[in-house]
Each structure stands twice: as structure tokens, then as C-alpha cells.
Amino acid sequence: MTPVDLSRTVLRAVRRAVDGGELTVSVPGRAVVTIPGPGGCGDYATNIALQLARPAGQPPRRVAEILRPHLSGTDGIADVVVTGPGFLNFILSDGHALPTALVAEILASGARYGFADGPSGQVVQLHAAREVRAVVVMDAVSRILRSQGALVRSSCEGPPAAEWTDVLGVRVDAYGTPEAPAPLDIGIRPVPAPADPVPLGRDAARWALLHPAAHDRPRITDEHLVQREGNPLFRVRYAHARTRALSHNAAELGFTAVPGALGDPAAVTELTTPGDLAPLLADHPRILAQAAAHQAPDRLARHLVTVADAVLAVLPTVLPRGDEKPSAAHRARLALAEAAGTVLAGGLSLLGIDAPEHL
């Protein structure tokens, strides 16, 4: 069972509670499912009860207790535990199926992993000053919001400079103050760039402007161009390129990726411990949802760095060593690496940054 499967299961539980008269709410279009936070337990968790508490007129924990019986006993779910103010935590029936199903879902979804299933009905108007960082951040926020199903219009106080569109790849729908306000109007006001980022080129310039939080002053220096570990952008793109190289190397050895059990117990422990690769991939949809909700592309950028560091640590376990023959475990590890590369490429694309196969 994957996060998408669990999200649909949670929404069905809400629908049953509403139909049974236990809750009086509108069923939301999406339930965010992620790895449990501090104080949580099990394989996944959702904050749907906290989301529904106010419209339901009940405490979050009470809402969670109402939903729990509708979730317990579902195929693939061994137990449901309520923790904290009302988080629902899921313990899956087969712990080893978690990375297998997750990897299969990512590879099937491709760059759209973590995207909304369809339009959310949310209409958002973004407006930015005619300043390079504000316009680039607005462009990235537009991309992320659209990935979550929102209808987005963007406007700028004046026409962007030609190099902002030609070099940095920004797109603005309109200039001047919007005439017809949208249901949700958001001003994009990050700390301005201290220097012109255009000489860095599209990828490095966008990273320099998007990786820091909006309230932090960006560094517009050549450090974003250097190819070494101290450059987070390089680590993300290098990790992606290494996953692609592994796929080519595996093909030369006569095997391809197949999601499955990761094999050696030591490797399984390394790859599925919370905070390492598999849970980080499972957390990607939540990161996209949060980046959209808070108009914070820096959250996505930092997440990509964390994923890159995790995948670089496990890549040496993927290919056979010495006289070792390719096994089902090698195919499963390759699938996990390819899934990580998919997440990195998709995330970079939402930031408007290229993910080359070779560096």
C-alpha cells in the first residue's frame, strides 16, 4: 500500500463517516499522507482529523476516533493508532511491501509522482514586484501550485526584463495590478537579490534564488557553479546523473530494475530506516503539498538535497561486486535508485532547473 492508496482510503473513510451522520463536513479533494513525525508510529500518518476538526465543530482527536473504525481492517492495514492532538498513524500489514509498492508507484508515475490526481478547484492569483528574485520565486510557486491541481494566474508590476524570460525562463501571465481578484490573492515578496543572477545562467541562478528561504538574503556568487560536494545544486544533479549511469551500467550487465525485496538484511536496514532513502521518497508528496500551501519552493529545494545525500550513500550497494551475479535484490536496489532519480528530476523540473543525465 502506497501513500496514494492510503490517501484514497482515508477519503473513503471520511465519506463513510459523513454518509453515516458521524461527521458534518465537505469531503476534501485530497488527504496528505506522509511518514510519521515526532511522537508518531507505524509506517505512515495523516493529519486529516486536524484538517476537518474546525468545519466539523469537534476536537481533532474526536474526529480521528470517528475515522479510526472506518480505517481499521482495511486490506493492507494491520492497525490504526491515534497519537498527539489527532494524527492517524497506519501500521501496514507487510512492512517489506512498503518500499516495494512505493518504488513501483514512483516509477509508474514518473515526474508526476506527488502531483494531484486532478484539478483541486483552487484558483490562485500571484503578484510580484518587478524584481528578479520575486519573479523567479513566483514562477516556481506557480509550477508547484499547478502540480497540486490549482489554477494559477501570475502578474508582475511591470514587464520582466528580457533576460529574465530568455535566460532564467520565467513566465508571467499579466502586467500591472490584476483587475479581477481571485479567491486567493498572494503577494510574492522575498528578500531581493543583492546582485544580478543572470550571469550564472538559468540553472545556477534559479537555484541561488530559490534554495534560501524567502526571508533569507540569497548569495549570488560563482559557488553555485562549482562541481564539488560543497555545492548543494551539484550534489542534487550529480545524484540524479549517477542513478541514470547505474541504469546504463546495469543494462550492460544484463539486468534491469524490478521493485521488490531489497535482499541483504544490512542493506534493508540501511535503506528503510526512517530518515534514509525510502521514507524520504514517501515524503515527497507531502513536501510538494507544503511547498504549495506556503508558497515556499525552498522547502522543495532542501528536500531534494536531503534525497540526494541519501541516495549517494546507498548507490555503492546497487550493482554486483566482483564475481557476484545480478540477483533479485540488485534489481530491487536499482529500482529504488531509479525512483530516487525520478524524484530528483521531477523536483528540479518544478524549480525550473534542468536535470542532465551526464555531468
Side-chain angles (χ1 to χ4, degrees):
M1 182 169 283
T2 68
V4 170
D5 296 328
L6 279 172
S7 177
R8 292 169 180 160
T9 299
V10 170
L11 293 180
R12 285 195 294 268
V14 175
R15 169 59 64 189
R16 286 195 293 269
V18 170
D19 291 344
E22 299 169 272
L23 289 175
T24 305
V25 295
S26 297
V27 180
R30 184 181 185 188
V32 175
V33 174
T34 183
I35 57 175
C41 63
D43 299 293
Y44 286 119
T46 181
N47 67 347
I48 190 70
L50 284 75
Q51 179 182 340
L52 297 178
R54 178 174 292 180
Q58 300 195 52
R61 194 170 182 92
R62 174 58 184 155
V63 175
E65 294 292 353
I66 290 172
L67 295 177
R68 184 176 178 276
H70 295 287
L71 293 163
S72 299
T74 302
D75 287 345
I77 299 177
D79 197 9
V80 181
V81 180
V82 179
T83 61
F87 292 100
L88 287 158
N89 298 258
F90 304 100
I91 299 170
L92 302 185
S93 301
D94 182 0
H96 288 292
L98 169 59
T100 301
L102 172 68
V103 168
E105 178 191 341
I106 295 172
L107 295 180
S109 301
R112 293 185 61 82
Y113 171 62
F115 283 30
D117 292 336
S120 66
Q122 184 182 43
V123 179
V124 183
Q125 172 70 59
L126 302 177
H127 187 69
R130 189 179 182 278
E131 186 275 324
V132 63
R133 190 186 186 197
V135 173
V136 169
V137 170
M138 182 171 67
D139 181 78
V141 169
S142 297
R143 295 166 185 257
I144 296 170
L145 280 166
R146 291 186 180 111
S147 79
Q148 302 305 293
L151 175 64
V152 184
R153 298 195 299 262
S154 62
S155 61
C156 181
E157 290 178 354
E163 59 267 28
W164 299 355
T165 55
D166 297 342
V167 178
L168 303 184
V170 301
R171 192 189 85 181
V172 177
D173 298 322
Y175 312 134
T177 304
E179 294 182 3
L184 183 59
D185 286 272
I186 299 172
I188 303 297
R189 301 181 182 88
V191 172
D196 182 9
V198 171
L200 296 177
R202 174 171 173 159
D203 295 332
R206 290 183 71 104
W207 183 269
L209 298 173
L210 297 173
H211 182 250
H215 58 267
D216 290 332
R217 188 171 184 265
R219 294 170 58 88
I220 310 300
T221 68
D222 290 346
E223 68 190 56
H224 301 291
L225 298 172
V226 297
Q227 297 196 25
R228 57 175 180 238
E229 289 186 1
N231 178 3
L233 174 59
F234 170 73
R235 295 209 305 277
V236 172
R237 300 174 87 193
Y238 176 69
H240 169 262
R242 289 281 289 116
T243 65
R244 302 304 302 140
L246 281 175
S247 298
H248 295 310
N249 293 340
E252 293 179 356
L253 293 175
F255 74 98
T256 57
V258 180
L262 299 171
D264 179 82
V268 172
T269 300
E270 179 183 13
L271 292 174
T272 60
T273 299
D276 287 331
L277 187 52
L280 290 172
L281 301 183
D283 205 29
H284 186 65
R286 182 187 69 87
I287 296 295
L288 291 184
Q290 289 296 305
H294 297 279
Q295 301 86 53
D298 58 288
R299 297 191 182 199
L300 173 57
R302 290 194 297 273
H303 174 65
L304 296 180
V305 175
T306 305
V307 171
D309 290 343
V311 72
L312 286 171
V314 303
L315 291 185
T317 71
V318 174
L319 296 181
R321 299 180 182 181
D323 296 331
E324 192 178 12
K325 300 297 183 183
S327 66
H330 291 114
R331 293 181 177 86
R333 295 174 203 164
L334 178 61
L336 181 64
E338 289 186 356
T342 297
V343 167
L344 293 174
L348 285 172
S349 177
L350 287 176
L351 297 177
I353 297 173
D354 186 36
E357 293 198 5
H358 306 284
L359 282 181

